[in-house]
Amino acid sequence: MPKPNSWQWVLWRENFLWPWRPAIARSRMHRMGVGLILLLLLLLIGMFVFWFIGGPRIVLEEVLATRLQAPVHLQANPRFYWGKQQLQVTLQGLRIGTQAQPRLQLRRLMLSLLWRPLLTGHVKIQQIFLDQPSVYGPWPASPGSAASSTNINVSLPGDIQIRDGSLRWSGLAGHVLQLSDVQASFPRSGAGAATGRWSWNQHAGQGRLQMDIHSTSGLSLRNLQLLIGTRQVPDALSLQMPRLEIQDKTLQIPALQVRWQDNHERRMELSLQDLQAQPGLQKIALRSATLQAGSDFHMQIDHARFSWVQWTGQAGYVVSAEHLPELAKKWGFSWPKLTNPKVPRYFKMSGKLVWKNPRFDWSIRQGLVDSSPWSGNITGTWQPLKIHLALQIQRLNLGAYLPSPKAGPGAVLPKLPATWPITGSLQIGQLIWGKIRAEDVLIRSRKP
């Protein structure tokens, strides 16, 4: 036998082991195959146990809770249907929020995902089905919500269908708004519609919404119509919007018209032109807005700009009204008792309003009360309330508003309260009050 570590030893070993090599290889392959089978079996058992104890449900709850910054609960594991072109995922008993204070609850949520994008790592939703969704509000502000609002590029992820939806929103003007029996269908592109019932502040009725939807990189709506009726008036509120665009972090509405009426013959109409909103910058710009209440009240706003993050803005305005006592009574406002219960018969005011929290500057370029022209400025702050007047009236006849003064010594006017917030001056070119005739009257209000 050759000595070890020599070349003769290597040749002898190779010749000696050659007949046994296939058997050794087969033995190794056999052991590897058995090990692989055992590994797959253990993996299958582990997956079965993981699924049986609700592992997918727990993982999905954690993922959604992290994304939504709110507690998430699922009633069972998600279900999957493997189709040829799409994967359908079903979530049973989804709840966002706590059991005591839920934000959203669904009996069932179904998502249809296309296979081809999914295999390349992209999620493309073809259809969303919401079965008995219930929304509760208002929602608490979540951290980072202001930062996320800078991007409002909205597009529908896919066709959306809602069956038997409901909403309960408390604290809306001191009352609770409720929607029920909501049935809706909104395709990614095409005609969408929604119907339902509503109730608020002891009022109730039906509602209907329809529009043409086009969703790509942004959201475009055409021919949007909203109709809300009450038990007494089927068309109490109607809204028409020929076009709405949400793109490039801007919401654009070229025209909007809203009509409202009730069963007491009260009517109101609002028209907007060229409205642009930038929620990311928290700004609104408006070319013009017109409000018409019946035939006796008209208000127009021009070239308005407003920033609600800084509470600043400016707008030009024109306000006119006729038959003010009857108008106030018709709309439920109190009106002081005057000598003539039918005055003022006519009122008009135009000018510009500029505000920057907490200050405001209100200029009256042209004003008219019956036959009395007036103009001036009103400035001050609203936190705390301090008002400074600088008004001029050309001619004022107080006889139609206040009883004429009695003959005798001059009357002593009551003292102003210690917290009187108004200062400034009122100049009257000609004052007529019973037998009193005065010119260039100056009334001042100083700080107490």
Side-chain angles (χ1 to χ4, degrees):
M1 177 181 298
K3 294 181 179 181
N5 300 329
S6 64
W7 63 273
Q8 293 93 346
W9 166 258
V10 174
L11 291 176
W12 180 85
R13 186 183 61 184
E14 292 294 330
N15 293 330
F16 179 78
L17 294 179
W18 172 254
W20 307 95
R21 283 186 181 275
I24 295 174
R26 287 194 298 270
S27 177
R28 290 179 178 176
M29 292 293 293
H30 178 72
R31 288 196 300 268
M32 291 179 60
V34 172
L36 183 60
I37 292 174
L38 290 176
L39 180 61
L40 291 175
L41 183 60
L42 290 175
L43 183 60
L44 290 175
I45 294 174
M47 292 177 61
F48 177 79
V49 174
F50 179 74
W51 185 273
F52 183 76
I53 64 175
R57 175 182 61 83
I58 297 174
V59 172
L60 188 57
E61 287 177 348
E62 293 293 334
V63 172
L64 292 177
T66 302
R67 293 291 300 271
L68 301 175
Q69 297 295 312
V72 177
H73 172 75
L74 286 172
Q75 188 176 1
N77 286 329
R79 298 180 181 179
F80 300 94
Y81 172 76
W82 309 82
K84 294 182 179 180
Q85 297 181 351
Q86 61 186 13
L87 171 65
Q88 189 178 89
V89 182
T90 302
L91 304 180
Q92 299 281 348
L94 173 62
R95 184 186 72 232
I96 301 176
T98 62
Q99 186 174 3
Q101 294 181 337
R103 302 184 192 178
L104 172 66
Q105 291 188 142
L106 297 103
R107 178 177 177 270
R108 182 176 51 168
L109 171 62
M110 296 175 59
L111 302 173
S112 297
L113 312 176
L114 294 178
W115 269 120
R116 289 187 177 181
L118 192 61
L119 294 176
T120 59
H122 298 85
V123 177
K124 186 174 182 180
I125 301 175
Q126 186 179 27
Q127 188 176 23
I128 302 176
F129 176 70
L130 306 175
D131 187 12
Q132 298 181 15
S134 299
V135 180
Y136 303 88
W139 297 335
S142 58
S145 59
S148 62
S149 65
T150 58
N151 187 358
I152 64 164
N153 287 339
V154 179
S155 61
L156 296 182
D159 298 344
I160 300 177
Q161 292 186 354
I162 300 175
R163 185 177 70 178
D164 297 335
S166 63
L167 177 143
R168 179 182 174 86
W169 203 273
S170 60
L172 189 61
H175 302 280
V176 178
L177 173 65
Q178 296 191 66
L179 303 180
S180 61
D181 193 25
V182 177
Q183 316 293 332
S185 176
F186 297 111
R188 184 175 174 84
S189 293
T195 60
R197 293 181 294 184
W198 66 273
S199 63
W200 179 79
N201 190 20
Q202 300 180 352
H203 300 282
Q206 302 280 342
R208 184 176 73 250
L209 172 67
Q210 60 185 31
M211 68 189 81
D212 295 328
I213 305 172
H214 182 67
S215 179
T216 54
S217 59
L219 182 64
S220 176
L221 305 180
R222 298 287 192 276
N223 303 321
L224 187 148
Q225 296 182 3
L226 173 65
L227 181 64
I228 298 177
T230 64
R231 296 187 182 98
Q232 296 82 10
V233 184
D235 55 348
L237 177 67
S238 64
L239 181 149
Q240 294 184 349
M241 191 184 307
R243 182 165 61 92
L244 181 148
E245 303 281 348
I246 302 179
Q247 199 166 12
D248 296 333
K249 302 179 182 180
T250 303
L251 183 148
Q252 299 181 2
I253 301 177
L256 170 67
Q257 190 171 51
V258 181
R259 291 188 177 92
W260 175 85
Q261 60 181 347
D262 66 358
N263 56 341
H264 298 292
E265 297 182 354
R266 294 186 298 185
R267 301 186 309 276
M268 187 179 297
E269 183 174 334
L270 173 66
S271 299
L272 302 180
Q273 300 291 329
D274 291 340
L275 171 65
Q276 292 189 357
Q278 296 176 293
L281 301 177
Q282 301 187 0
K283 292 183 178 180
I284 291 179
L286 180 69
R287 183 167 65 89
S288 67
T290 303
L291 177 65
Q292 182 81 31
S295 57
D296 292 335
F297 181 85
H298 181 273
M299 180 174 67
Q300 181 172 335
I301 304 294
D302 295 316
H303 305 291
R305 297 196 304 271
F306 175 59
S307 172
W308 63 84
V309 64
Q310 299 176 344
W311 196 253
T312 61
Q314 66 179 40
Y317 66 90
V318 178
V319 180
S320 62
E322 298 183 24
H323 311 106
L324 268 70
E326 293 86 347
L327 185 65
K329 181 180 179 180
K330 185 176 182 179
W331 290 92
F333 296 101
S334 60
W335 192 259
K337 293 183 179 180
L338 303 177
T339 304
N340 186 347
K342 295 184 178 181
V343 297
R345 292 183 174 88
Y346 183 76
F347 172 84
K348 185 177 181 179
M349 180 174 59
S350 64
K352 187 176 182 180
L353 178 62
V354 180
W355 64 94
K356 184 176 182 180
N357 192 32
R359 299 196 58 83
F360 66 89
D361 187 346
W362 182 2
S363 65
I364 298 95
R365 184 174 58 253
Q366 291 182 346
L368 185 65
V369 179
D370 289 337
S371 59
S372 300
W374 64 294
S375 61
N377 285 83
I378 302 175
T379 59
T381 62
W382 52 68
Q383 290 180 348
L385 182 61
K386 293 182 180 179
I387 300 175
H388 183 78
L389 305 179
L391 302 178
Q392 301 86 34
I393 301 178
Q394 296 182 12
R395 182 178 182 275
L396 179 60
N397 187 351
L398 286 177
Y401 307 102
L402 299 176
S404 300
K406 297 180 180 179
V412 179
L413 297 176
K415 293 183 178 181
L416 296 177
T419 57
W420 182 249
I422 301 177
T423 60
S425 62
L426 174 62
Q427 296 181 356
I428 304 175
Q430 183 181 15
L431 176 63
I432 302 173
W433 191 9
K435 296 182 179 181
I436 297 177
R437 299 291 187 275
E439 294 183 354
D440 298 331
V441 178
L442 177 63
I443 302 175
R444 288 181 177 177
S445 175
R446 295 188 178 93
K447 294 182 179 180

